[in-house]
Amino acid sequence: MLTRHARSRMQQRGIPPAQVERILRYGREQHDRHGGVIVYVDRNARRRAERDGGATAAELDQLAGLYVVVAAGRVATVGHRYRRIRA
């Protein structure tokens, strides 16, 4: 389930719904200390996706630069990573 904010950010940032679904399926979760969870693709998530055949190498390169924030069971926002997500 996407919030209105997430839908508008996806459109503004050129992130298709299929990429958001893949990030949610294979990504690593990191709590953001504000009640939300940041989901992103790290090395282990990339290996899982490659093993399952969930994406090609080019698609995984694109996923590595994205993140999804989930709050209250809904996708709150999505964006491009421009710095490291601290564990």
Side-chain angles (χ1 to χ4, degrees), residues 65-78:
L66 302 175
Y67 69 92
V68 175
V69 177
V70 178
R74 298 173 66 176
V75 175
T77 192
V78 299

Side-chain angles (χ1 to χ4, degrees), residues 15 18-30 37-51 54-69 79-85:
I15 301 171
Q19 287 183 338
V20 173
E21 290 173 15
R22 284 190 184 113
I23 292 170
L24 292 173
R25 179 178 297 144
Y26 298 110
R28 177 178 179 199
E29 296 182 354
Q30 179 68 39
V37 176
I38 302 170
V39 184
Y40 60 97
V41 176
D42 63 354
R43 227 178 263 146
N44 291 331
R46 186 181 175 105
R47 287 184 193 128
R48 279 193 305 273
E50 288 173 346
R51 202 172 32 241
T56 65
E59 291 170 339
L60 289 171
D61 288 339
Q62 290 178 343
L63 293 180
L66 302 175
Y67 69 92
V68 175
V69 177
H80 295 278
R81 289 175 46 190
Y82 60 93
R83 63 180 169 177
R84 182 177 176 202
I85 296 174

